[in-house]
Amino acid sequence: MKSAFVFPGQGSQSIGMLAGAAEAWPMVSKTFNDASNVLGYDLWHLCQNGPAEELNKTAITQPALLTASVALWRQWCVADAPRPDFLAGHSLGEYSALVAAESLDFVEAVKLVQLRGELMQDAVPAGEGRMAAILGLEDADVLAACEEAAGNDVVAAVNFNAPGQVVIAGSSAAVERAIEVCKAKGARKAMPLPVSVPSHCALMKGAAEQLAEALEDVRFNNALIPVVQNVNAEPSTDAETLKQNLLKQLYSPVLWTDSVKRLAADGVNVAVECGAGKVLAGLVKRIDRSLPVHNIETPEALSEAMKAFGKS
């Protein structure tokens, strides 16, 4: 048996997330305290009480989800549960995976994702960027629609989340045009997403250049567990490779479908979604129904996951 942990990205946050976990496990509160000390505000209070519009700000969402994932990973380790054979994270979740792999220090990761969120928000003025979900089209059709709609603007397929589920991003006008082209091609749904940051497209290259400066001062270690990275769906443990791919990720598509297929090809037959919510479990089910994905947000769920990993 081979196993994997997968870590969610933006969109998995919600007011009250991990409330039950914190009641059961002191490690959750400790991890949020560690993050709060870095950020300079009470992250746990914000996650539990909102307001939602504050939690949904990119520069807050990113450290919140990172901290939630790392808290549950730490609890898994405290429980002396088996370590997985592979790690992977969706977009922001790749930072969580690198912390779990001990390639990136948690405190450094909190600082980085806060900065990442700020740089992404500042890269494109409010209202000038957009993302949209395209459902029910082949990847090739979405790529063709973006090419047809681009003109002199930027629009690209940026999240290959599951078969028939692709997210596009770019300048607002070009995304609107691409939505109409996708509808004409027979998309079941083509709808704007409630985000203002056009992630993982060429409009983020300026942010990536600034993030690269910050990364120069951050130490990356070789990963103790291979991390399947977003930009190429390939596992790596090499510190420099992990670092450079993490940077490219900011302006490159998230190859999540290929990442899950790679895990399955490498023999993974059980996985855990380590973080808030169950977004990735749903995506994995669409990609490979034979790959069960457990959640560990409660003591009961963690116990069930440990049994699936071969430990009672």
Side-chain angles (χ1 to χ4, degrees):
M1 184 190 80
K2 286 190 176 180
S3 57
F5 264 52
V6 294
F7 300 86
Q10 284 187 248
S12 290
Q13 73 274 10
S14 63
I15 301 297
M17 62 183 187
L18 267 62
E23 290 177 6
W25 299 319
M27 181 58 73
V28 174
S29 297
K30 180 187 182 307
T31 304
F32 271 85
N33 285 338
D34 291 345
S36 296
N37 289 337
V38 175
L39 296 167
Y41 59 85
D42 190 336
L43 181 62
W44 179 254
H45 184 270
L46 180 55
C47 288
Q48 298 310 301
N49 300 287
E53 55 268 25
E54 191 71 11
L55 178 60
N56 291 336
K57 289 180 179 176
T58 300
I60 292 174
T61 305
Q62 296 200 26
L65 288 173
L66 168 77
T67 303
S69 287
V70 171
L72 293 177
W73 169 258
R74 286 178 170 180
Q75 183 59 38
W76 179 264
C77 295
V78 165
D80 197 28
R83 298 299 187 271
D85 297 288
F86 295 95
L87 305 170
H90 187 286
S91 187
L92 165 72
E94 194 163 284
Y95 286 79
S96 304
L98 292 173
V99 172
E102 296 186 34
S103 176
L104 182 59
D105 176 73
F106 175 56
V107 168
E108 291 290 350
V110 171
K111 294 176 184 175
L112 278 175
V113 299
Q114 182 186 37
L115 175 62
R116 180 179 184 264
E118 292 169 349
L119 294 174
M120 290 171 70
Q121 191 67 66
D122 292 344
V124 179
E128 293 187 15
R130 179 163 285 191
M131 300 182 79
I134 310 299
L135 306 182
L137 284 185
E138 297 291 328
D139 292 355
D141 290 329
V142 179
L143 290 166
C146 289
E147 187 174 348
E148 182 179 334
N152 295 322
D153 298 320
V154 171
V155 61
V158 295
N159 287 1
F160 295 91
N161 286 334
Q165 187 169 334
V166 178
V167 174
I168 64 174
S171 63
S172 294
V175 169
E176 288 292 342
R177 293 195 297 269
I179 286 173
E180 295 308 312
V181 176
C182 286
K183 288 178 179 177
K185 288 179 177 290
R188 182 162 49 84
K189 281 188 179 180
M191 52 193 180
L193 295 174
V195 295
S196 60
V197 176
S199 304
H200 302 295
C201 73
L203 296 178
M204 289 293 114
K205 282 198 172 180
E209 290 171 3
Q210 293 175 274
L211 187 63
E213 295 178 14
L215 283 174
E216 288 179 6
D217 299 325
V218 177
R219 176 182 174 84
F220 279 72
N221 302 308
N222 290 337
L224 299 184
I225 302 170
V227 177
V228 176
Q229 294 195 275
N230 288 181
V231 299
N232 57 9
E234 294 288 337
S236 180
T237 58
D238 177 70
E240 188 59 27
T241 299
L242 294 168
K243 180 178 180 178
Q244 292 307 316
N245 284 341
L246 191 67
L247 191 59
K248 291 176 188 174
Q249 183 218 65
L250 201 56
Y251 56 86
S252 303
V254 173
L255 305 181
W256 189 249
T257 299
D258 289 346
S259 296
V260 173
K261 288 181 177 179
R262 177 57 192 261
L263 290 171
D266 282 339
V268 170
N269 51 18
V270 61
V272 162
E273 180 167 4
C274 187
K278 298 179 181 178
V279 170
L280 295 187
L283 294 181
V284 171
K285 188 175 182 180
R286 290 177 61 90
I287 298 165
D288 186 345
R289 286 188 171 274
S290 69
L291 179 57
V293 182
H294 297 266
N295 187 276
I296 56 171
E297 283 188 271
T298 66
E300 295 78 17
L302 188 142
S303 179
E304 286 300 312
M306 287 179 66
K307 288 177 186 176
F309 273 57
K311 183 164 182 173
S312 57

